[in-house]
Amino acid sequence: MTLYEPVIGLEVHAEMLTRSKMFCSCAVVDNTEAPPNTATCPVCLGMPGVLPTLNAEAVEMGLRVGLALGCTIPPFNQFARKNYFYPDLPRGYQISQYEYPLAINGFLDIDLPDGGTRRIRVRRAHLEEDTGKLTHTGDGASLVDLNRAGVPLLEIVSEPDLRSAEEAEAYARQLRSILQYLGVNHGDMSRGVLRFEANVSVRPAGSDELRTRTEIKNLNSIRGMVRAIQKEVERQIHLWESGQGVRQATLGWDDDRGQLIIQRTKESASDYRYFPEPDLPLLQISPEHVAEVRQGLPELPAARRDRFCRDLGLNRADAAILTAEQAVADYYEAALAAGGAPQPVANFLIGEIFRLMNADALGRDAIGTIKVTPEALAELLRLAQEGAINLNTAKRVLDILYAEGGDPARIVAERGLAQVTDEDAIRAAVDSVLAENPAEVEAYLAGSEKVAKFLMGQVMRALRGKGQPQAVQEALDEALAARRS
Ligand code: ADP
Ligand code: MG
Ligand code: ZN
C-alpha cells in the first residue's frame, strides 16, 4: 500500500479591531450587543451611487500583521471587486484585493511537538470586507443582519507547507497569538472574529506533486479544524486507494457530529470576474511608512519565549506555554516584578493556577480577571521559600486566594497554617502515630517500604498538613530506628 502524506494550506480571515468599518464610518459593533442592522449606512448597505473611502486604521493593522510575519510590503496596493451573489452581500460584489495585495512572501516558524521548528511560508495577506450575517429561522425564513457587512478583514494565506493536522494546529495557534499580541484581533473563534479554512490534499509520501485539493469551511474552533483535517485526509486516502480519485470541492464541517459535508464543487478565480475597484484610488505605501510601522511592533510571542529561556532560565516548553497568551505572559512578568522567582512562579502558574482555571472553564487569556493577583502569588511563594509554610499548605492557600482573593500572609496567620517546625510537637505526633499503628510498625520493621510512606502520611495528617516535611521525616526515621534496635 502507498504511504500518503497530507498537504495543507490555511486561509485565515481575521477581523481587524478597528473602530469603524473598512469603507464607511459605521461603528464596528459586537453582534451580541447591537440590534440587527443598526450599525449600517448607505455605503455598507450597498445603495446605488455611494462611494467607499478607505479606513487608514485597517491598513495600519494589516501592515503590522504583514511585517510581524516577515512579509514584503509592495509599494502600492490595488483593491478589486470580487463578484458573486449572496443575500449577505447586498452590493453583489465584495471589495477585496487580488493582484496587488498588502503583504506578500512572509513566513511563520512553527514549533513542532518533537521540539523542533518548521518554517511555513505565508503567500500573502490582503485586506477585504466582511459580509453580513444570515440567520435561518427554521420555518423557511432567512434573516439578514448587515452590522457585520463592511467590517475590515485581513485574509492571510499560507503556502501548502503544512504536513499534518498537528502542524496546522501549531500554525493556527501561533498565528492567533501573534494577532493578539499585535492588538488587531482578540482571537475568539466562537464569535467568528477569526475564521480558518483548510485546503487539504494528499500525495504519495516523498513526492512533490500537488494533487487536487478540497477546501473545508465553517471551522469554529482550532480543535474542530484538527478533527476535520484528520477526517478529510482519511477520506482522500481512501478515494485514491479505491481508484476513484479526489474531486475539487468545498466541504463544511459539522463539529457536533464529527462529519464533513460536501457543499458544492469549488468556484475558480475566473468565476468571480475580478476587476480593479474603480471607486478607490491605488494605495501607495512608502518605505518610510513601512519602517515606522515596523518600529512600532511590540515584542512578539517567539521573541518573548526566547527571552524567557535566555534571561530567566526557563525551558522552552514552559516558556512557550507562558508566552502563548499575552495576558499570561504579562501576569507572569508582573509576579516576577513583585519579587517572585522565575521557576517557582512558572510551576505554580502552569501547574496550579491553570488547573483551577480549567476547572472553572476559564480560558487562559482570562488570567487578568482571577482573584489571585500576581503580587499575591509572589508573596505566597516567598512564604514557601522561607519555610513559613510548606508546599502543601501553599497549594491550600492558593485555593483560598483563588476563591476569595486576599493576602497570603494574613490567610496563613488567621487560619493557623504556619508550618510546624517545633521538634517537640513533631516528635509527639510521631509517637502517637506509631502507638496507634502497631501492625504497620511491625510490617515496616519486617522490611516493607510502602508502610514508611503511609506512616509519614499519618504524621503529616496528625500535624494537619503543616509539618515541615524534612523535620517530620527525620523524626519518623529516628523513632523507627529506635524501635528496630
Ligand atoms: P484560491 O484562491 O482559489 O482559494 P489558492 O491557489 O490561492 O486558491 O490557494 C488557496 C490555499 O490553498 C492556499 O493556502 C494554498 O496553500 C492551498 N493549496 C493550494 N494548492 C494546494 C494543494 N494541492 N493541497 C493543499 N493545499 C493547497
Ligand atoms: Mg480559497
Ligand atoms: Zn456603513
Side-chain angles (χ1 to χ4, degrees):
M1 203 186 102
T2 325
L3 199 61
Y4 289 88
E5 88 181 339
V7 175
I8 302 156
L10 292 186
E11 292 171 79
V12 180
H13 288 92
E15 280 186 4
M16 295 289 101
L17 279 172
T18 51
R19 283 159 298 177
S20 58
K21 291 188 181 180
M22 190 71 208
F23 300 115
C24 61
S25 56
C26 288
V28 172
V29 296
D30 185 335
N31 250 342
T32 57
E33 284 162 16
N37 298 306
T38 50
T40 54
C41 74
V43 174
C44 55
L45 289 174
M47 300 291 175
V50 297
L51 291 172
T53 45
L54 185 63
N55 182 339
E57 195 182 19
V59 175
E60 202 76 13
M61 290 184 171
L63 281 177
R64 289 163 78 171
V65 177
L67 291 173
L69 295 174
C71 291
T72 300
I73 307 299
F76 72 89
N77 281 244
Q78 186 181 60
F79 287 86
R81 288 189 184 178
K82 181 179 183 180
N83 297 281
Y84 66 96
F85 172 77
Y86 208 65
D88 61 12
L89 185 71
R91 253 196 258 103
Y93 59 86
Q94 177 190 33
I95 304 179
S96 180
Q97 295 188 301
Y98 188 55
E99 284 176 281
Y100 302 100
L102 185 69
I104 55 173
N105 301 336
F107 62 89
L108 178 57
D109 288 328
I110 59 166
D111 290 319
L112 303 176
D114 68 4
T117 63
R118 231 160 68 68
R119 178 156 293 192
I120 307 304
R121 292 169 299 158
V122 171
R123 181 182 292 177
R124 57 189 270 145
H126 68 251
L127 285 167
E128 57 187 31
E129 54 179 340
D130 212 341
T131 58
K133 214 177 148 178
L134 286 182
T135 305
H136 305 289
T137 57
D139 56 4
S142 291
L143 305 174
V144 187
D145 176 9
L146 294 173
N147 281 350
R148 201 181 67 178
V151 169
L153 273 187
L154 188 71
E155 175 167 346
I156 305 158
V157 183
S158 85
E159 294 291 344
D161 287 349
L162 298 155
R163 292 290 170 268
S164 66
E166 292 70 31
E167 290 190 8
E169 174 174 12
Y171 177 90
R173 289 198 187 284
Q174 285 176 237
L175 183 57
R176 178 167 69 175
S177 169
I178 289 170
L179 297 174
Q180 287 173 331
Y181 270 66
L182 292 172
V184 302
N185 183 290
H186 48 63
D188 188 348
M189 288 182 69
S190 66
R191 287 200 291 168
V193 300
L194 185 64
R195 311 194 289 268
F196 291 86
E197 289 165 15
N199 294 269
V200 179
S201 64
V202 300
R203 66 186 177 196
S207 98
D208 55 11
E209 67 179 306
L210 283 178
R211 291 197 172 181
T212 304
R213 69 186 153 102
T214 59
E215 182 170 344
I216 315 173
K217 294 182 186 280
N218 307 345
L219 299 168
N220 299 324
S221 69
I222 292 179
R223 216 164 281 171
M225 179 186 80
V226 168
R227 291 171 68 212
I229 291 173
Q230 284 166 341
K231 259 271 161 73
E232 177 58 7
V233 165
E234 275 170 33
R235 191 184 73 93
Q236 290 190 13
I237 291 175
H238 173 76
L239 287 172
W240 289 119
E241 281 293 290
S242 63
Q244 299 170 69
V246 171
R247 266 186 305 168
Q248 192 157 352
T250 300
L251 312 178
W253 172 249
D254 181 335
D255 203 40
D256 295 332
R257 297 214 178 114
Q259 268 176 6
L260 293 160
I261 306 144
I262 302 200
Q263 293 183 326
R264 59 187 146 100
T265 52
K266 167 139 179 67
E267 54 291 286
S268 63
S270 60
D271 295 327
Y272 290 123
R273 299 289 188 272
Y274 279 103
F275 66 87
E277 167 59 63
D279 290 341
L280 285 167
L282 291 184
L283 168 67
Q284 302 200 13
I285 298 177
S286 70
E288 292 74 29
H289 187 62
V290 172
E292 203 176 294
V293 176
R294 195 192 300 277
Q295 274 287 312
L297 290 182
E299 183 184 38
L300 293 168
R304 203 168 190 185
R305 176 201 62 210
D306 293 346
R307 176 165 63 79
F308 281 12
C309 292
R310 193 180 60 237
D311 296 354
L312 305 173
L314 297 186
N315 66 43
R316 201 179 153 92
D318 284 354
I321 292 172
L322 292 174
T323 52
E325 304 276 352
Q326 190 173 32
V328 171
D330 289 346
Y331 182 100
Y332 177 69
E333 291 204 284
L336 298 197
Q343 194 62 54
V345 174
N347 294 346
F348 254 60
L349 196 49
I350 296 171
E352 304 302 322
I353 293 186
F354 285 174
R355 177 179 53 76
L356 292 165
M357 291 176 72
N358 278 346
D360 279 351
L362 278 184
R364 289 178 187 175
D365 50 355
I367 188 133
T369 67
I370 67 172
K371 289 182 182 154
V372 191
T373 63
E375 293 74 24
L377 178 62
E379 166 78 355
L380 176 66
L381 291 169
R382 194 181 57 74
L383 294 172
Q385 169 70 28
E386 289 172 351
I389 54 176
N390 66 27
L391 217 55
N392 270 330
T393 305
K395 290 177 187 173
R396 273 168 69 190
V397 175
L398 183 69
D399 288 345
I400 296 167
L401 285 170
Y402 183 80
E404 303 167 16
D407 172 54
R410 179 173 304 161
I411 292 171
V412 168
E414 283 175 0
R415 309 201 185 195
L417 294 172
Q419 178 157 267
V420 177
T421 49
D422 173 20
E423 285 180 22
D424 289 340
I426 291 174
R427 214 170 296 130
V430 167
D431 287 343
S432 73
V433 165
L434 296 190
E436 284 160 21
N437 296 281
E440 280 73 13
V441 173
E442 204 141 300
Y444 173 82
L445 294 176
S448 167
E449 278 300 316
K450 259 204 313 225
V451 180
K453 266 223 176 89
F454 166 79
L455 291 171
M456 176 72 185
Q458 291 301 304
V459 178
M460 277 307 240
R461 238 178 69 170
L463 292 165
R464 295 182 35 232
K466 298 179 297 184
Q468 203 264 317
Q470 212 176 325
V472 172
Q473 189 70 63
E474 277 167 19
L476 181 61
D477 289 348
E478 212 169 275
L480 287 168
R483 279 167 173 73
R484 175 167 288 158
S485 49

